[in-house]
Structures are given as structure tokens and as C-alpha cells.
Amino acid sequence: MDIPVIDLTRYLEIADKLSTDPVKLSRQLGELGPWLGELCKEVSRILRETGALVVKDPRCSADDNDRFIDMMEKYFERPPEFKRLQERPQLHYQVGVTPEGVEVPRSLVDEEMQEELKAMPKEFQPSTPKGPDRKWRYMWRVGPRPLNTHFKELNSEPVIPEGFPEWKETMDSWGHKMISAIEAVAEMAAIGFGLPKDAFTSIMKQGPHLLAPTGSDLGCYGQEGTVFAGYHYDLNFLTIHGRSRFPGLNIWLRNGQKVGVKVPLGCLLIQTGKQIEWLTAGDCIAGMHEVVVTKRTIDAVKLASEQNCSLWRVSSTLFAHIASDAVLKPLGHFAESPLASKYPPIRAGEFVEQELSVINLKGNKGES
């Protein structure tokens, strides 16, 4: 299945002129013609029904993505002892590198989720991981941090590996471009949901946004069925990925259908996280997904080997967050939802810490 592609170009041309006042915005929507309201409703509909959205943002080119992946391939190809110099377990791995074998898939530790998986039709069930994920990940903060926060460890200074003089500029450039795409989608989704344009973006400011590329060694773990990222949802607001050079990402639609994702060249994939589920009282739900070696992955490995290219599968993933000290709760008319009581108010940082403790990224080496 091909997920619909939303071209952001036309929205970006008028975005700055749109009011955050609902009354003025309603008038502007009428003046601009039906295309804008229809486009925003389409964005919110796709997020609601599929949990995933493919966008084309003229500010984010395929060349930008390639430049980023080229650098990350070189990093992940370095020896494990070099990469571990950037490991920060005392900060819950929220900056620097997370080695393979650390992050535990939610489906391995969540008993309620395990019962749900057993009830799935066989053809839609995820692959069963044998243990922690066989992927490395690098966490890089993007954007300004709050001066005062109750969650300092979620807003720590970045870690820069030696021997990569282009590191900071490359990470910041690609990270800011992807955040800009997320912000545009967040505005369009808010309008489509009947909320003020800045309902989401106003509480994203100074959030602990993470550019968090993964590195999976297909030269070592290239057997079909190998699980690099076990079945899970993301704990943040929205997740965005550039196109990977190797396939293997499966997502689950709202109806439970399992879909292998194909992202067109020059496009970005956006997925719903747990925080948008909270803010919409479950109107959107956090999208489930996994990364597994498939026949298509193996075909891509053969081609890369023939061309003497890197066999590390890099995902240029960015996690966009609600600000740590902001309160997660159903917004606007979603507060009247019969499901709203399932989403009680909680500070975003506290919510993140609770989620990290479940997947083994909090509580390491004496941390509580």
C-alpha cells in the first residue's frame, strides 16, 4: 500500500498569514477558497485513520537527506569501542549513542500489548523479537532548550564525536528542516481537527526534540526475519523520517492492517506518537511499527554490496516532543470526548520518564 503524499508547498506559501485566532482563521479559510480547509482535513483524516503520513516539503531535499545519511553511515561503521565514548546511560541515553542490545521493544515487556498481539490475525502479527533491539541509535538535541525546567536530564547538552568536524552543522541543519516540516503538519492537523492553528505548535516550543538516527548492521544481521526494532509505538508527539536506503519498516493502520512502507524519493514519513494521542483523547492513536529484514531488504543489500556501498541501514529519524514542562491533556473539544478520562493531565516530561523506564532507557547504572 502506498500512503497518500501531501505536498506542503501551497500551505507554506500562506502559512505565516494565517491567524491563530479561530474566528479570524475561519474567515481566512473562507476567503482563500475550499482547498485549504480540505487539505487540512485530509491531513487530520490520514493521521487519524492510518497513524502515518507522507509529505513533500520543498525545504527538505533528497540531497539534504543523503548528506545526513552519508555522515551517519561513516559514524556507525566505526568500531564499537569508539562509539561507546559517546554513551551517556546516566542521562537515560537521551543524548549521545545508545548501543545495540540496550533498548527493549515494548512488545517484550508490555503484557497487555502481548495479549493484543495474540488476538491479531496471523498475517498481521509483528515479528517476534528474541531480545533487545539490534540497532544503534544516536540522540541529538535540536532547537533551544528551556532555561528553567523540572526535567534537566531530558534537556542535556549534546555529545559530539571526535573526527567529525561537519557533525554539528549537518545534524542541526537536517534536524531544523525536519522540525519545520513537523510544525507545518502540526498546524495543518490542528486546523483539520477544528482547533486553533497553533494548538500543537505553541506547546512544542523548546521541547526536547531529538534527531535520533538508528544504525542497523545488515552486513552482520542481514538474515531475513532479523528484528532491528521490535513492534512498538513512539512516546513523543510526532515522528518524522527521511527516506532510508534499505526497506524494512512495517506500520499498522488503525484497522489493524500491517503495511510495508515505501517512501518516495524526496519525501518524508510522519508517524503519530503517544503525545498526540493524549492531546486528541485517542482520536489519533500512537502508530505501531517495527523494522525487520525482509526480502526487499535483502535485495537492496545485494545491490549495495555490488556497488561497494555501506551495509548499515540508517534511519534519519526525528522525534518531535511537547515541551517537558507543558501539560499533556485533551485539547479544545477533545476534552469533551467520552474517552478523555483515559488521558488525565500530566506534565510531558513526567510522561516521558515513565515511558523510558518501561523500555530500559531509564534507571540504568543507579538512576531511579
Side-chain angles (χ1 to χ4, degrees), residues 119-248:
M120 282 184 178
K122 285 287 185 185
E123 67 270 25
F124 295 157
Q125 288 183 0
S127 301
T128 303
K130 302 294 191 290
D133 288 341
R134 290 177 173 174
K135 70 175 187 295
W136 292 74
R137 188 190 290 282
Y138 206 99
M139 298 288 210
W140 179 263
R141 299 283 175 210
V142 180
R145 304 271 72 83
L147 294 176
N148 297 300
T149 176
H150 290 90
F151 305 95
K152 291 181 180 179
E153 71 278 10
L154 299 181
N155 295 275
S156 306
E157 289 301 308
V159 179
I160 301 175
E162 289 187 10
F164 289 83
E166 76 279 28
W167 187 273
K168 187 177 189 304
E169 193 277 329
T170 302
M171 299 293 265
D172 285 344
S173 174
W174 185 232
H176 281 293
K177 287 182 178 184
M178 290 209 289
I179 285 178
S180 295
I182 284 267
E183 288 173 340
V185 169
E187 289 179 355
M188 296 169 78
I191 294 170
F193 284 130
L195 300 171
K197 171 195 167 187
D198 64 345
F200 300 130
T201 54
S202 62
I203 53 175
M204 287 173 62
K205 291 177 181 176
Q206 297 189 337
H209 311 308
L210 280 170
L211 181 54
T214 62
S216 305
D217 188 356
L218 288 163
C220 183
Y221 303 117
Q223 301 77 26
E224 185 176 353
T226 299
V227 180
F228 284 127
Y231 181 79
H232 68 288
Y233 61 76
D234 291 339
L235 61 86
N236 52 296
F237 172 60
L238 290 173
T239 301
I240 186 168
H241 311 265
R243 188 173 184 265
S244 176
R245 290 172 177 167
F246 296 92

Side-chain angles (χ1 to χ4, degrees), residues 48 104 115 133 206 218 225 267 303 308 342 347 355 364:
R48 178 189 297 116
V104 177
E115 291 303 312
D133 288 341
Q206 297 189 337
L218 288 163
C267 292
L303 182 60
N308 200 29
K342 289 180 59 179
R347 283 189 301 188
E355 292 284 314
N364 290 280

Side-chain angles (χ1 to χ4, degrees), residues 18 68 89 106 116 176 184 201 230 266 316 335 360:
L18 296 178
F68 174 80
R106 186 100 195 188
E116 292 173 0
H176 281 293
T201 54
S316 57
N360 202 35

Side-chain angles (χ1 to χ4, degrees), residues 310-344:
S310 175
L311 297 184
W312 278 83
R313 183 190 187 277
V314 174
S315 73
S316 57
T317 301
L318 183 138
F319 299 120
H321 278 261
I322 300 304
S324 301
D325 295 274
V327 175
L328 289 177
K329 61 181 180 179
L331 300 176
H333 61 85
F334 291 118
E336 308 304 318
S337 165
L339 297 178
S341 60
K342 289 180 59 179
Y343 302 95

